[in-house]
Coordinates of all heavy atoms in Angstrom, one line a residue:
A10 N 4.1 -10.9 -1.5 CA 4.6 -9.5 -1.4 C 3.8 -8.6 -2.3 O 3.1 -9.1 -3.3 CB 6.0 -9.4 -1.9
I11 N 3.7 -7.4 -1.9 CA 2.9 -6.4 -2.5 C 3.4 -6.2 -3.9 O 2.5 -6.1 -4.9 CB 3.0 -4.9 -1.9 CG1 2.3 -5.1 -0.6 CG2 2.4 -3.9 -2.6 CD1 2.4 -3.9 0.4
T12 N 4.6 -6.2 -4.3 CA 5.1 -5.9 -5.6 C 4.7 -7.1 -6.6 O 4.5 -6.8 -7.9 CB 6.7 -5.7 -5.6 OG1 7.3 -6.9 -4.9 CG2 7.1 -4.5 -4.9
S13 N 4.6 -8.3 -6.1 CA 4.1 -9.2 -7.0 C 2.8 -9.2 -7.5 O 2.3 -9.8 -8.6 CB 4.4 -10.7 -6.3 OG 3.5 -10.9 -5.4
K14 N 1.9 -8.5 -6.9 CA 0.5 -8.2 -7.2 C 0.4 -6.9 -7.9 O -0.8 -6.7 -8.4 CB -0.3 -8.2 -6.0 CG -0.3 -9.6 -5.3 CD -1.3 -9.5 -3.9 CE -1.2 -10.8 -3.3 NZ -2.5 -11.5 -3.1
M15 N 1.5 -6.2 -8.1 CA 1.2 -4.8 -8.7 C 1.4 -4.9 -10.2 O 2.2 -5.6 -10.7 CB 2.5 -4.0 -8.1 CG 2.0 -2.6 -8.0 SD 3.0 -1.6 -6.9 CE 4.7 -1.8 -7.4
N16 N 0.5 -4.1 -10.8 CA 0.6 -4.0 -12.3 C 1.3 -2.5 -12.6 O 0.7 -1.6 -12.2 CB -0.9 -3.9 -12.8 CG -1.5 -5.3 -12.7 OD1 -1.0 -6.3 -12.8 ND2 -2.9 -5.1 -12.4
Y17 N 2.5 -2.5 -13.0 CA 3.2 -1.5 -13.1 C 2.6 -0.5 -14.2 O 2.3 -1.1 -15.2 CB 4.7 -1.7 -13.5 CG 5.6 -0.6 -13.2 CD1 6.1 -0.4 -12.0 CD2 5.9 0.3 -14.2 CE1 6.9 0.8 -11.8 CE2 6.7 1.5 -14.0 CZ 7.1 1.7 -12.7 OH 7.9 2.8 -12.5
P18 N 2.2 0.7 -13.9 CA 1.5 1.6 -14.8 C 2.3 1.8 -16.1 O 3.6 2.2 -16.1 CB 1.5 3.0 -14.2 CG 1.5 2.6 -12.6 CD 2.5 1.4 -12.7
T19 N 1.7 1.5 -17.3 CA 2.3 1.6 -18.5 C 2.5 3.0 -18.8 O 1.7 4.0 -18.6 CB 1.3 1.2 -19.7 OG1 1.0 -0.3 -19.4 CG2 1.9 1.2 -21.0
G20 N 3.7 3.4 -19.3 CA 4.1 4.8 -19.6 C 4.7 5.6 -18.4 O 5.1 6.8 -18.7
L21 N 4.8 4.9 -17.3 CA 5.3 5.7 -16.1 C 6.8 5.7 -16.2 O 7.5 4.6 -16.3 CB 5.0 5.0 -14.8 CG 5.4 5.6 -13.5 CD1 4.8 7.0 -13.3 CD2 5.1 4.8 -12.3
K22 N 7.4 6.9 -16.3 CA 8.9 7.0 -16.5 C 9.6 7.6 -15.5 O 10.8 7.5 -15.3 CB 9.1 7.9 -17.8 CG 8.5 7.5 -19.0 CD 9.1 6.3 -19.6 CE 8.7 6.0 -20.9 NZ 8.6 4.5 -21.2
E23 N 8.9 8.1 -14.5 CA 9.5 8.7 -13.3 C 9.5 7.9 -12.1 O 8.7 6.9 -11.9 CB 8.8 10.1 -13.0 CG 7.3 9.8 -12.7 CD 6.6 11.1 -12.5 OE1 7.2 12.1 -12.0 OE2 5.5 11.2 -13.0
K24 N 10.6 8.0 -11.2 CA 10.6 7.3 -10.0 C 10.0 8.1 -8.9 O 10.1 9.3 -8.9 CB 12.1 7.0 -9.5 CG 12.4 6.2 -8.4 CD 13.8 6.1 -8.2 CE 14.0 5.2 -6.9 NZ 15.4 5.0 -6.6
G25 N 9.2 7.3 -8.1 CA 8.5 8.2 -6.9 C 7.9 7.2 -6.0 O 8.0 6.1 -6.2
K26 N 7.2 7.7 -4.9 CA 6.5 7.0 -3.9 C 5.1 7.5 -3.8 O 4.9 8.8 -3.7 CB 7.3 7.2 -2.6 CG 8.6 6.4 -2.6 CD 9.3 6.6 -1.2 CE 10.7 5.9 -1.2 NZ 11.3 6.0 0.1
S27 N 4.2 6.6 -3.6 CA 2.8 6.8 -3.3 C 2.7 6.4 -1.8 O 2.9 5.3 -1.5 CB 1.9 6.1 -4.1 OG 2.0 6.4 -5.5
F28 N 2.2 7.3 -0.9 CA 1.9 7.1 0.5 C 0.5 6.7 0.7 O -0.3 7.6 0.4 CB 2.4 8.2 1.3 CG 4.0 8.4 1.4 CD1 4.5 9.2 0.4 CD2 4.7 7.9 2.3 CE1 5.9 9.3 0.3 CE2 6.0 8.1 2.3 CZ 6.7 8.8 1.2
V29 N 0.3 5.5 1.3 CA -1.0 4.9 1.4 C -1.3 4.7 2.8 O -0.4 4.1 3.5 CB -1.3 3.7 0.6 CG1 -2.7 3.2 0.7 CG2 -1.1 3.8 -0.9
E30 N -2.5 5.3 3.3 CA -2.8 5.0 4.7 C -4.0 3.9 4.9 O -4.7 3.8 3.9 CB -3.4 6.4 5.2 CG -3.8 6.2 6.7 CD -4.4 7.5 7.2 OE1 -5.6 7.9 6.7 OE2 -3.7 8.1 8.0
F31 N -3.9 3.2 5.9 CA -4.9 2.1 6.0 C -5.1 1.8 7.5 O -4.2 2.2 8.3 CB -4.6 0.9 5.2 CG -3.3 0.3 5.5 CD1 -3.2 -0.8 6.4 CD2 -2.1 0.6 4.8 CE1 -2.0 -1.3 6.7 CE2 -1.0 0.2 5.0 CZ -0.9 -0.9 6.0
T32 N -6.1 1.1 7.8 CA -6.4 0.8 9.3 C -6.4 -0.8 9.3 O -6.9 -1.4 8.4 CB -7.6 1.3 9.8 OG1 -7.6 2.7 9.7 CG2 -8.0 0.9 11.2
I33 N -5.7 -1.3 10.4 CA -5.8 -2.6 10.6 C -6.6 -2.8 11.9 O -6.3 -2.2 13.0 CB -4.4 -3.3 11.1 CG1 -3.4 -3.2 9.9 CG2 -4.6 -4.8 11.4 CD1 -3.8 -3.9 8.5
D34 N -7.8 -3.5 11.8 CA -8.8 -3.5 12.9 C -8.2 -4.4 14.0 O -7.3 -5.2 13.8 CB -10.2 -3.7 12.5 CG -10.5 -5.1 11.8 OD1 -9.6 -6.1 12.0 OD2 -11.6 -5.2 11.2
S35 N -9.0 -4.6 15.0 CA -8.7 -5.5 16.1 C -8.6 -6.9 16.0 O -8.1 -7.8 16.6 CB -9.5 -5.2 17.4 OG -11.0 -5.5 17.1
V36 N -9.2 -7.3 14.7 CA -9.2 -8.8 14.3 C -8.2 -8.9 13.1 O -8.1 -10.1 12.6 CB -10.6 -9.4 14.0 CG1 -11.4 -9.5 15.2 CG2 -11.3 -8.6 12.9
G37 N -7.4 -7.9 12.7 CA -6.4 -8.1 11.7 C -6.9 -7.8 10.3 O -6.2 -8.2 9.4
Q38 N -8.0 -7.3 10.1 CA -8.6 -7.0 8.8 C -8.2 -5.6 8.4 O -8.3 -4.7 9.1 CB -10.0 -7.1 8.6 CG -10.5 -8.5 8.8 CD -10.0 -9.6 7.9 OE1 -10.1 -9.3 6.7 NE2 -9.3 -10.6 8.3
M39 N -7.7 -5.4 7.1 CA -7.3 -4.1 6.6 C -8.6 -3.3 6.2 O -9.5 -3.9 5.4 CB -6.4 -4.3 5.5 CG -6.0 -2.9 4.8 SD -5.0 -3.0 3.2 CE -3.4 -3.6 3.9
K40 N -8.7 -2.0 6.5 CA -9.9 -1.3 6.2 C -9.4 0.2 5.8 O -8.3 0.6 6.2 CB -10.8 -1.2 7.3 CG -11.3 -2.5 7.9 CD -12.6 -2.6 8.3 CE -13.0 -3.8 8.9 NZ -13.6 -4.8 8.1
D41 N -10.2 0.9 5.2 CA -10.0 2.4 4.9 C -8.8 2.7 4.2 O -8.0 3.5 4.7 CB -10.2 3.1 6.2 CG -11.4 2.8 7.0 OD1 -12.5 2.7 6.3 OD2 -11.5 2.8 8.2
V42 N -8.5 2.0 3.1 CA -7.4 2.2 2.4 C -7.4 3.5 1.5 O -8.5 3.7 0.7 CB -7.0 1.1 1.4 CG1 -5.8 1.3 0.5 CG2 -6.9 -0.3 2.1
R43 N -6.5 4.5 1.7 CA -6.6 5.7 0.9 C -5.3 6.3 0.7 O -4.4 6.1 1.5 CB -7.5 6.7 1.7 CG -7.1 7.3 3.0 CD -8.0 8.1 3.7 NE -7.5 8.7 4.9 CZ -7.0 10.0 4.8 NH1 -7.0 10.7 3.9 NH2 -6.5 10.5 6.0
L44 N -5.1 7.1 -0.3 CA -4.0 7.7 -0.7 C -3.8 9.1 0.2 O -4.9 9.7 0.4 CB -3.9 8.2 -2.2 CG -2.7 9.1 -2.6 CD1 -1.6 8.0 -2.8 CD2 -3.0 9.6 -3.9
I45 N -2.6 9.2 0.8 CA -2.5 10.4 1.6 C -1.4 11.4 0.9 O -1.5 12.6 1.1 CB -2.1 10.3 3.0 CG1 -0.8 9.5 3.2 CG2 -3.2 9.5 3.7 CD1 -0.3 9.5 4.6
K46 N -0.5 10.8 0.1 CA 0.5 11.7 -0.6 C 0.9 10.9 -1.8 O 1.4 9.8 -1.7 CB 1.7 12.0 0.3 CG 2.7 12.9 -0.4 CD 3.7 13.2 0.5 CE 4.9 14.1 -0.3 NZ 6.1 14.0 0.3
G47 N 0.7 11.6 -3.0 CA 1.0 10.8 -4.2 C 2.0 11.6 -5.1 O 2.4 12.7 -4.8
F48 N 2.5 10.9 -6.1 CA 3.4 11.6 -7.0 C 3.0 11.6 -8.5 O 3.5 12.3 -9.4 CB 4.8 11.1 -6.8 CG 5.0 9.8 -7.5 CD1 5.8 9.8 -8.8 CD2 4.6 8.6 -7.2 CE1 6.1 8.6 -9.5 CE2 4.9 7.4 -7.7 CZ 5.5 7.6 -9.0
N49 N 2.1 10.6 -8.8 CA 1.6 10.4 -10.3 C 0.2 9.6 -10.1 O 0.2 8.7 -9.5 CB 2.7 9.5 -11.0 CG 2.1 9.1 -12.4 OD1 1.3 8.3 -12.5 ND2 2.8 9.7 -13.4
E50 N -0.7 10.1 -10.8 CA -2.1 9.6 -10.7 C -2.2 8.2 -11.0 O -2.8 7.4 -10.3 CB -3.0 10.4 -11.7 CG -4.4 10.1 -11.6 CD -5.4 10.8 -12.5 OE1 -4.9 11.7 -13.3 OE2 -6.6 10.5 -12.5
L51 N -1.6 7.7 -12.2 CA -1.6 6.3 -12.4 C -0.9 5.4 -11.3 O -1.5 4.3 -10.9 CB -0.9 5.9 -13.7 CG -1.5 6.6 -15.1 CD1 -0.5 6.4 -16.1 CD2 -2.7 6.0 -15.3
A52 N 0.3 5.8 -10.8 CA 0.9 5.1 -9.7 C 0.1 5.1 -8.6 O -0.1 4.0 -7.8 CB 2.3 5.7 -9.5
D53 N -0.4 6.2 -8.1 CA -1.2 6.4 -7.0 C -2.5 5.5 -7.0 O -2.7 4.8 -6.0 CB -1.7 7.8 -6.9 CG -0.6 8.9 -6.7 OD1 0.5 8.4 -6.3 OD2 -0.7 10.1 -6.8
K54 N -3.1 5.4 -8.1 CA -4.3 4.5 -8.2 C -4.0 3.1 -8.0 O -4.6 2.3 -7.4 CB -5.0 4.6 -9.6 CG -5.9 6.0 -9.6 CD -6.4 6.2 -11.0 CE -7.3 7.5 -11.1 NZ -8.0 7.6 -12.4
E55 N -2.7 2.8 -8.6 CA -2.5 1.2 -8.5 C -2.0 1.0 -7.1 O -2.2 -0.1 -6.7 CB -1.2 1.1 -9.6 CG -0.6 -0.3 -9.5 CD -1.7 -1.5 -9.7 OE1 -2.8 -1.1 -10.3 OE2 -1.3 -2.7 -9.5
A56 N -1.4 1.9 -6.5 CA -1.0 1.7 -5.1 C -2.2 1.4 -4.2 O -2.2 0.4 -3.3 CB -0.1 2.8 -4.5
V57 N -3.2 2.3 -4.3 CA -4.4 2.0 -3.5 C -5.1 0.7 -3.9 O -5.5 -0.1 -3.1 CB -5.3 3.2 -3.7 CG1 -6.7 2.9 -3.2 CG2 -4.7 4.5 -3.1
R58 N -5.1 0.4 -5.3 CA -5.7 -0.8 -5.6 C -5.0 -2.1 -5.2 O -5.7 -2.9 -4.6 CB -5.7 -0.9 -7.3 CG -6.5 -2.1 -7.7 CD -6.0 -2.5 -9.2 NE -4.7 -3.1 -9.2 CZ -4.4 -4.3 -8.9 NH1 -5.2 -5.2 -8.5 NH2 -3.0 -4.7 -9.0
V59 N -3.8 -2.1 -5.2 CA -3.1 -3.3 -4.8 C -3.1 -3.7 -3.3 O -3.4 -4.6 -2.9 CB -1.6 -3.3 -5.4 CG1 -0.7 -2.4 -4.5 CG2 -0.9 -4.7 -5.3
L60 N -3.1 -2.5 -2.5 CA -3.4 -2.6 -1.1 C -4.7 -3.1 -0.8 O -4.9 -3.9 0.1 CB -3.0 -1.4 -0.3 CG -1.6 -1.1 -0.1 CD1 -1.2 0.2 0.6 CD2 -0.9 -2.2 0.8
S61 N -5.8 -2.6 -1.5 CA -7.1 -2.9 -1.2 C -7.4 -4.4 -1.7 O -8.3 -5.0 -1.0 CB -7.9 -2.1 -2.2 OG -7.9 -0.8 -1.8
T62 N -6.5 -5.1 -2.3 CA -6.6 -6.5 -2.8 C -6.1 -7.4 -1.7 O -6.4 -8.6 -1.6 CB -6.1 -6.9 -4.0 OG1 -4.5 -6.8 -4.0 CG2 -6.6 -6.0 -5.2
L63 N -5.3 -7.0 -0.8 CA -4.7 -7.8 0.2 C -5.8 -8.2 1.3 O -6.5 -7.6 1.9 CB -3.7 -7.2 1.1 CG -2.4 -6.5 0.1 CD1 -1.4 -6.0 1.0 CD2 -1.9 -7.7 -0.5
T64 N -6.0 -9.6 1.4 CA -7.0 -10.1 2.3 C -6.6 -10.9 3.5 O -7.4 -11.1 4.3 CB -8.0 -10.9 1.4 OG1 -7.3 -12.0 0.8 CG2 -8.8 -10.2 0.4
Y65 N -5.2 -11.3 3.4 CA -4.9 -12.1 4.6 C -4.9 -11.2 5.8 O -4.7 -10.0 5.9 CB -3.5 -12.7 4.2 CG -2.4 -11.7 3.8 CD1 -1.7 -11.0 4.8 CD2 -2.2 -11.5 2.4 CE1 -0.6 -10.0 4.3 CE2 -1.2 -10.6 2.0 CZ -0.4 -9.9 2.9 OH 0.5 -9.0 2.6
P66 N -5.1 -12.0 6.9 CA -5.1 -11.2 8.2 C -3.7 -10.7 8.6 O -2.7 -11.4 8.5 CB -5.6 -12.4 9.2 CG -5.4 -13.7 8.5 CD -5.3 -13.4 7.1
F67 N -3.8 -9.6 9.3 CA -2.6 -8.9 9.7 C -2.4 -9.2 11.2 O -3.6 -9.4 11.8 CB -2.4 -7.6 9.3 CG -2.5 -7.3 7.9 CD1 -3.6 -7.2 7.1 CD2 -1.2 -6.9 7.3 CE1 -3.4 -6.9 5.8 CE2 -1.2 -6.6 6.0 CZ -2.2 -6.7 5.1
N68 N -1.4 -8.9 11.9 CA -1.3 -8.9 13.3 C -1.8 -7.5 13.8 O -1.1 -6.5 13.4 CB 0.1 -9.2 13.7 CG 0.6 -10.5 13.4 OD1 -0.2 -11.4 13.6 ND2 1.8 -10.6 13.2
P69 N -2.9 -7.4 14.5 CA -3.4 -6.1 14.9 C -2.4 -5.6 16.0 O -1.7 -6.3 16.7 CB -4.8 -6.3 15.7 CG -4.7 -8.0 15.9 CD -3.6 -8.4 14.9
G70 N -2.4 -4.2 16.2 CA -1.7 -3.6 17.2 C -2.1 -3.9 18.6 O -3.3 -4.5 18.7
R71 N -1.3 -3.9 19.5 CA -1.8 -4.1 21.0 C -1.6 -3.1 21.8 O -0.6 -2.4 21.7 CB -1.1 -5.4 21.4 CG -1.4 -6.6 20.5 CD -0.8 -7.8 21.4 NE -1.4 -9.0 20.7 CZ -2.5 -9.7 21.1 NH1 -3.3 -9.3 22.0 NH2 -3.0 -10.7 20.4
Q72 N -2.4 -2.9 22.8 CA -2.4 -1.9 23.9 C -2.7 -2.6 25.2 O -3.9 -3.2 25.2 CB -3.3 -0.7 23.5 CG -3.0 0.5 24.4 CD -3.9 1.7 23.9 OE1 -4.7 1.5 23.3 NE2 -3.3 2.9 24.2
K73 N -1.9 -2.6 26.1 CA -2.1 -3.2 27.3 C -2.4 -4.8 27.2 O -3.3 -5.3 27.9 CB -3.2 -2.6 28.3 CG -2.7 -1.2 28.6 CD -3.8 -0.5 29.5 CE -3.4 0.8 29.9 NZ -4.4 1.6 30.5
G74 N -1.8 -5.3 26.1 CA -2.0 -6.8 25.9 C -3.1 -7.2 25.0 O -3.5 -8.3 24.7
K75 N -4.1 -6.1 24.8 CA -5.3 -6.4 24.0 C -5.1 -5.9 22.6 O -4.7 -4.9 22.4 CB -6.5 -5.8 24.7 CG -6.8 -6.3 26.0 CD -8.0 -5.8 26.6 CE -8.3 -6.4 28.0 NZ -9.4 -5.8 28.6
P76 N -5.7 -6.6 21.6 CA -5.7 -6.0 20.1 C -6.5 -4.8 20.1 O -7.5 -4.7 20.5 CB -6.2 -7.2 19.4 CG -6.7 -8.3 20.4 CD -6.4 -7.9 21.7
V77 N -5.9 -3.9 19.4 CA -6.7 -2.6 19.1 C -6.6 -2.3 17.7 O -5.6 -2.7 16.9 CB -6.0 -1.4 19.9 CG1 -6.3 -1.6 21.4 CG2 -4.5 -1.2 19.6
K78 N -7.3 -1.4 17.1 CA -7.3 -0.7 15.8 C -6.1 0.0 15.7 O -5.8 0.9 16.5 CB -8.6 0.0 15.5 CG -8.8 0.6 14.2 CD -10.0 1.1 13.9 CE -10.4 2.3 14.6 NZ -11.6 3.1 14.2
T79 N -5.4 -0.1 14.5 CA -4.2 0.7 14.4 C -4.1 1.3 13.0 O -4.5 0.6 12.0 CB -2.9 -0.2 14.4 OG1 -3.0 -1.0 15.6 CG2 -1.6 0.4 14.3
R80 N -3.7 2.5 12.7 CA -3.6 3.2 11.5 C -2.2 3.2 11.1 O -1.3 3.5 11.9 CB -4.2 4.6 11.7 CG -4.3 5.4 10.3 CD -4.9 6.8 10.5 NE -6.1 6.6 11.3 CZ -7.3 6.5 10.7 NH1 -7.5 6.4 9.4 NH2 -8.4 6.7 11.5
L81 N -2.0 2.9 9.8 CA -0.6 2.7 9.3 C -0.4 3.5 8.0 O -1.4 3.6 7.2 CB -0.1 1.3 9.1 CG -0.2 0.4 10.3 CD1 -0.1 -1.1 9.8 CD2 0.9 0.7 11.3
V82 N 0.7 4.0 7.7 CA 1.1 4.6 6.5 C 2.2 4.0 6.0 O 3.3 3.6 6.6 CB 1.3 6.1 6.5 CG1 1.8 6.7 5.2 CG2 0.1 6.8 7.1
I83 N 2.3 3.5 4.7 CA 3.4 2.8 4.0 C 3.5 3.5 2.6 O 2.7 3.8 1.9 CB 3.2 1.3 3.9 CG1 2.1 1.0 2.9 CG2 3.1 0.6 5.2 CD1 2.0 -0.5 2.4
P84 N 4.9 3.6 2.3 CA 5.2 4.2 1.1 C 5.2 2.9 0.0 O 5.8 2.0 0.4 CB 6.6 4.7 1.2 CG 7.2 4.0 2.3 CD 6.0 3.6 3.1
I85 N 4.8 3.1 -1.2 CA 5.0 2.1 -2.3 C 5.7 2.8 -3.3 O 5.4 3.9 -3.9 CB 3.6 1.7 -2.9 CG1 2.9 0.9 -1.6 CG2 3.8 0.7 -4.0 CD1 1.7 0.3 -2.0
T86 N 7.0 2.2 -3.6 CA 7.9 2.8 -4.5 C 7.7 2.3 -5.9 O 7.5 1.2 -6.1 CB 9.4 2.5 -4.0 OG1 9.6 3.2 -2.7 CG2 10.5 3.1 -5.0
F87 N 7.7 3.2 -6.8 CA 7.6 2.9 -8.3 C 8.9 3.5 -8.9 O 9.4 4.5 -8.9 CB 6.4 3.6 -9.0 CG 5.1 3.2 -8.5 CD1 4.6 3.6 -7.3 CD2 4.5 2.2 -9.3 CE1 3.3 3.2 -6.9 CE2 3.2 1.8 -8.7 CZ 2.6 2.2 -7.7
D88 N 9.5 2.3 -9.5 CA 10.8 2.6 -10.2 C 10.8 2.1 -11.6 O 10.8 0.9 -11.6 CB 12.0 2.0 -9.3 CG 13.4 2.6 -9.8 OD1 13.6 3.1 -11.0 OD2 14.3 2.5 -9.1
P89 N 10.9 2.9 -12.5 CA 10.8 2.3 -13.8 C 11.9 1.3 -14.3 O 11.8 0.3 -15.0 CB 11.0 3.4 -14.9 CG 10.9 4.7 -14.1 CD 11.0 4.3 -12.7
K90 N 13.1 1.4 -13.5 CA 14.2 0.4 -13.8 C 13.8 -0.9 -13.2 O 14.1 -1.9 -13.8 CB 15.5 0.9 -13.1 CG 16.0 2.2 -13.8 CD 17.3 2.7 -13.0 CE 17.7 3.9 -13.6 NZ 18.9 4.5 -12.8
N91 N 13.2 -1.0 -12.1 CA 12.8 -2.2 -11.4 C 11.7 -2.9 -12.2 O 11.5 -4.1 -12.1 CB 12.3 -2.1 -10.0 CG 13.7 -1.7 -9.2 OD1 14.8 -1.8 -9.6 ND2 13.5 -1.1 -8.1
S92 N 10.7 -2.2 -12.9 CA 9.7 -2.7 -13.6 C 10.1 -3.7 -14.7 O 9.4 -4.5 -15.0 CB 8.7 -1.7 -14.1 OG 9.1 -0.9 -15.1
E93 N 11.3 -3.3 -15.3 CA 11.7 -4.0 -16.5 C 12.2 -5.4 -16.2 O 12.3 -6.4 -16.9 CB 12.7 -3.3 -17.2 CG 12.2 -2.0 -17.8 CD 13.3 -1.0 -18.1 OE1 14.6 -1.3 -18.0 OE2 13.0 0.1 -18.5
K94 N 12.5 -5.7 -14.8 CA 13.2 -6.9 -14.4 C 12.2 -8.1 -14.3 O 12.5 -9.2 -14.0 CB 14.0 -6.7 -13.1 CG 15.1 -5.8 -13.2 CD 15.8 -5.5 -11.9 CE 16.9 -4.5 -12.1 NZ 17.5 -4.1 -10.8
R95 N 10.9 -7.8 -14.3 CA 9.8 -8.7 -14.1 C 9.6 -9.6 -15.3 O 9.5 -9.2 -16.3 CB 8.5 -8.2 -13.6 CG 8.7 -7.7 -12.1 CD 7.4 -7.4 -11.6 NE 7.3 -6.0 -11.0 CZ 6.3 -5.3 -10.7 NH1 5.2 -6.0 -10.8 NH2 6.4 -4.1 -10.3

């Protein structure tokens, strides 16, 4: 899971989401990870960093039965209350 690889930013007191965009190519590799909407500089950098470290193959999108490059956006939630439970 993404959260198990995340280093919660020290001193982050606010709850929010960093929206990260990336591409899954036709063979299932993640590429072009970038922030598209952030809320806190430290959290945004960590969201991009942790997604950039994922190396396992993903299932590529399909169009007419053939694998195709797909662009996705996911929110990564940072909540100070949840960071204390680890």
Side-chain angles (χ1 to χ4, degrees):
I11 291 171
T12 53
S13 67
K14 296 179 183 242
M15 213 159 55
N16 297 322
Y17 200 85
T19 304
L21 183 64
K22 302 288 185 218
E23 59 190 318
K24 181 178 178 180
K26 292 182 182 179
S27 299
F28 291 84
V29 181
E30 178 184 73
F31 56 93
T32 301
I33 302 298
D34 67 15
S35 61
V36 295
Q38 296 299 310
M39 181 186 285
K40 306 216 186 270
D41 306 324
V42 179
R43 69 185 185 99
L44 180 75
I45 59 166
K46 182 181 177 196
F48 83 100
N49 174 287
E50 186 178 357
L51 294 172
D53 298 341
K54 284 181 180 178
E55 180 58 14
V57 170
R58 184 202 69 78
V59 77
L60 279 177
S61 297
T62 66
L63 301 179
T64 58
Y65 50 83
F67 294 85
N68 292 324
R71 294 193 168 271
Q72 189 170 28
K73 296 182 181 178
K75 295 184 179 180
V77 294
K78 182 166 72 170
T79 308
R80 188 177 309 267
L81 301 167
V82 175
I83 65 167
I85 297 190
T86 302
F87 290 86
D88 186 344
K90 291 178 186 170
N91 291 341
S92 73
E93 296 164 6
K94 295 176 184 173
R95 289 195 233 170

